Amino acid sequence: MPSARHNLSGSERRSPAGRTIGPADPNEQIDVSIYLKDSPAEAGADRAACRDARAQRLQPAMQELADFAKAHNLTIKEQDPGRRLVKLSGTVADLQKAFGTELKCYEHQGRQFRGRTGHLSLPATLADKIEAVLGLDNRPAATPKVVFSRNAAAAGYFPNAVAKLYGFPATPGLGKGQCIALIELGGGFKKADTNTAFHVMNLPPPHVVAVGVSGGTNTPGEDQGADGEVALDIQVSGAAAPHAKIAVYFAPNTDQGFVDAITKAVHDTKNKPSVISISWGAPESDWTDQAIAAMNGAFADAAGFGVSVFAASGDRLASDGVNDGKPHVDFPASSPGVVGCGGTRLSAGAGRIADELVWNSNGAGTGGGVSTRFSAPDYQSGVSLPASGRGVPDVAADADPNTGYRIVVAGSVETIGGTSAAAPLWAGLFALLNETRSKPIGAPHATLYAHPAAFRDVTDGDNVENGYGYSAGPGWDACTGLGSPDGAALMKAFEEKTG
């Protein structure tokens, strides 16, 4: 007698935007990523110390999943207990039966994809052990938080000049021995662009490696916006920490690809990044609970490994691009395990900052507000939040495309901004800070919030759109967080205590 099936908690999907083309091809072969649940006992634990224990704990669930796969004509493509990941491969027809769903083909904004609605279902005993099943639905998950300047007179700054303006420390190795991970859901980079950019900045080009995840590859030339994102991330983080290694994790723009890329970076024992920069995201309301849970599990692992994670807070002001008359924040920047990075408009002269305001120009500007998915974390207990929930962002940096960064893309110099510039800049700073320590910082929130004087407090401007949003003011605010970096003060704040 077949066992009872339960809906998989958090798997409910809304109908995709766009037109329905018809049923998905039943013979199409696809892969799904299944993330098993974490153990409450592992929360906050040293992940390196408990890696073997995790593999042993998950063995029964993985065996049950293997039996489930066999019974439904599915094959196991990959097992990675450290990531709590099992990848299954099968036809659309077999996967629909296995997970109790119906897949259809859709088209939206010129892109075709598979989609589904409602919950997934599994045998009751297995459903209780699974956190997420990703990959059946491959609708686009996120957008890059990058904005090209439309102002021909916007000269911008070279990335190393911005780091100097913020007083980034000139550590002995300039990031040597550190690895910065960049998460990319499209686009690619050309070595010639990187070499040209760093030659102009009179810096050695960084060691950049491309890591393919779930079929993603370094493919420059297909999407200018995504290519600009990748170039911005490499050139900004590399200019901040010139001798750090940069590992670029390329994955498809789906919730499966996004989560797989982050778990791959966190558990990469070859490149061993100590900092992760994420410049892609989407409004919280666009995410399923299961995808958020899987990503937050990866961020918990990152903290356990001593990896700091930075993410762009969005470029669509307080609405985050949602046209419902309400404020929204962007995920993953809104995750309590991530340092959300907002944007400013930076004016400088004679090598010094003259003025810094909230970025809000030409219909774009820094995202920020209060999460509706996460409660306020302990590290924000001392700040005044405009509503109940986790406040976003935590920090900020130059992001206005009119005062943005001079980036080489496809052989041309472009002035580029967006909060996706703030995230890699902060990641580069933390690579420098980690270089001076015996062990990496990991989750930095408590220290950041305990040292408000380590920031340039941005008190002017707002991210108001259509009559709603937030204004900057003294201390933390929902536009620029604690403020932009004071490199020397942050170096002191994160000094290791001895004796």
Side-chain angles (χ1 to χ4, degrees):
M1 185 176 179
S3 60
R5 295 177 70 94
H6 282 184
N7 285 343
L8 178 62
S9 178
S11 65
E12 186 173 12
R13 274 284 201 182
R14 295 180 297 179
S15 180
R19 69 181 184 93
T20 304
I21 297 173
D25 178 359
N27 297 312
E28 181 185 2
Q29 194 84 15
I30 60 177
D31 298 337
V32 296
S33 296
I34 300 178
Y35 284 90
L36 296 167
K37 287 184 177 178
D38 203 350
S39 166
E42 293 180 2
D46 183 331
R47 291 312 204 252
C50 70
R51 190 189 297 272
D52 291 341
R54 171 179 283 184
Q56 185 175 1
R57 177 181 65 81
L58 292 178
Q59 198 280 327
M62 287 193 161
Q63 183 57 56
E64 188 174 352
L65 195 51
D67 294 339
F68 169 81
K70 184 177 180 180
H72 290 85
N73 301 316
L74 309 177
T75 59
I76 295 177
K77 192 170 184 178
E78 180 181 357
Q79 284 186 320
D80 190 335
R83 295 163 70 187
R84 295 183 284 117
L85 170 65
V86 177
K87 282 199 173 184
L88 300 182
S89 182
T91 65
V92 163
D94 287 333
L95 286 163
Q96 287 181 142
K97 292 178 182 177
F99 294 101
T101 190
E102 181 182 9
L103 301 178
K104 295 181 180 180
C105 290
Y106 298 84
E107 183 177 30
H108 183 58
Q109 297 180 342
R111 175 171 173 174
Q112 293 187 9
F113 55 89
R114 292 186 311 276
R116 64 175 181 83
T117 59
H119 284 90
L120 301 176
S121 67
L122 286 158
T125 57
L126 194 54
D128 291 340
K129 299 178 177 69
I130 290 177
E131 186 167 70
V133 176
L134 308 174
L136 294 166
D137 185 313
N138 67 348
R139 72 185 77 181
T143 58
K145 308 308 176 185
V146 61
V147 182
F148 286 74
S149 176
R150 294 178 292 176
N151 181 0
Y157 306 99
F158 288 112
N160 62 331
V162 177
K164 187 173 182 179
L165 287 169
Y166 284 133
F168 281 22
T171 58
L174 295 177
K176 185 176 181 180
Q178 302 301 310
C179 177
I180 301 170
L182 305 176
I183 305 299
E184 306 293 353
L185 304 182
F189 66 91
K190 295 180 179 179
K191 186 175 181 181
D193 287 344
T194 305
N195 290 344
T196 299
F198 282 82
H199 175 75
V200 172
M201 290 187 284
N202 198 29
L203 292 172
H207 176 39
V208 184
V209 297
V211 182
V213 182
S214 299
T217 58
N218 177 27
T219 53
E222 295 183 357
D223 183 329
Q224 183 194 27
D227 287 351
E229 180 62 73
V230 177
L232 179 73
D233 289 348
I234 291 173
Q235 293 168 35
V236 169
S237 61
H243 291 167
K245 181 180 182 180
I246 298 176
V248 190
Y249 297 81
F250 288 100
N253 186 6
T254 63
D255 58 4
Q256 176 190 30
F258 208 162
V259 176
D260 286 354
I262 293 171
T263 61
K264 178 66 175 178
V266 170
H267 293 271
D268 188 344
T269 56
K270 179 180 179 181
N271 295 301
K272 298 179 180 178
S274 64
V275 190
I276 296 176
S277 175
I278 304 171
S279 292
W280 299 69
E284 284 185 327
S285 56
D286 287 358
W287 293 89
T288 61
D289 288 346
Q290 65 166 358
I292 284 180
M295 208 175 290
N296 279 339
F299 298 144
D301 280 355
F305 282 123
V307 179
S308 305
V309 185
F310 299 85
S313 70
D315 303 337
R316 303 291 299 275
L317 299 166
S319 74
D320 202 31
V322 181
N323 297 316
D324 64 356
K326 300 176 183 178
H328 293 266
V329 293
D330 211 73
F331 180 84
S334 67
S335 170
V338 169
V339 180
C341 300
T344 67
R345 177 184 177 90
L346 184 70
S347 300
R352 300 183 63 182
I353 295 175
D355 195 17
E356 194 165 16
L357 312 172
V358 176
W359 168 38
N360 184 342
S361 62
N362 301 317
T366 185
V370 179
S371 170
T372 60
R373 304 289 282 265
F374 306 109
S375 59
D378 290 344
Y379 55 76
Q380 289 189 322
S381 61
V383 301
S384 178
L385 299 170
S388 177
R390 187 270 203 267
V392 183
D394 299 296
V395 300
D398 182 32
D400 189 327
N402 294 315
T403 65
Y405 301 73
R406 300 182 69 182
I407 301 298
V408 179
V409 187
S412 299
V413 177
E414 302 277 358
T415 302
I416 302 177
T419 53
S420 60
L425 187 74
W426 274 92
L429 172 58
F430 268 64
L432 298 177
L433 301 183
N434 282 336
E435 179 204 327
T436 67
R437 299 168 55 90
S438 61
K439 62 180 182 179
I441 292 167
H445 304 81
T447 301
L448 292 174
Y449 279 84
H451 292 85
F455 296 85
R456 292 179 48 83
D457 195 5
V458 179
T459 58
D460 294 324
D462 60 63
N463 65 356
V464 173
E465 180 185 29
N466 297 326
Y468 61 88
Y470 306 92
S471 297
W476 183 91
D477 56 63
C479 301
T480 59
L482 295 164
S484 58
D486 179 333
L490 285 162
M491 171 70 86
K492 186 175 182 180
F494 283 97
E495 282 179 345
E496 284 186 306
K497 302 299 185 290
T498 60

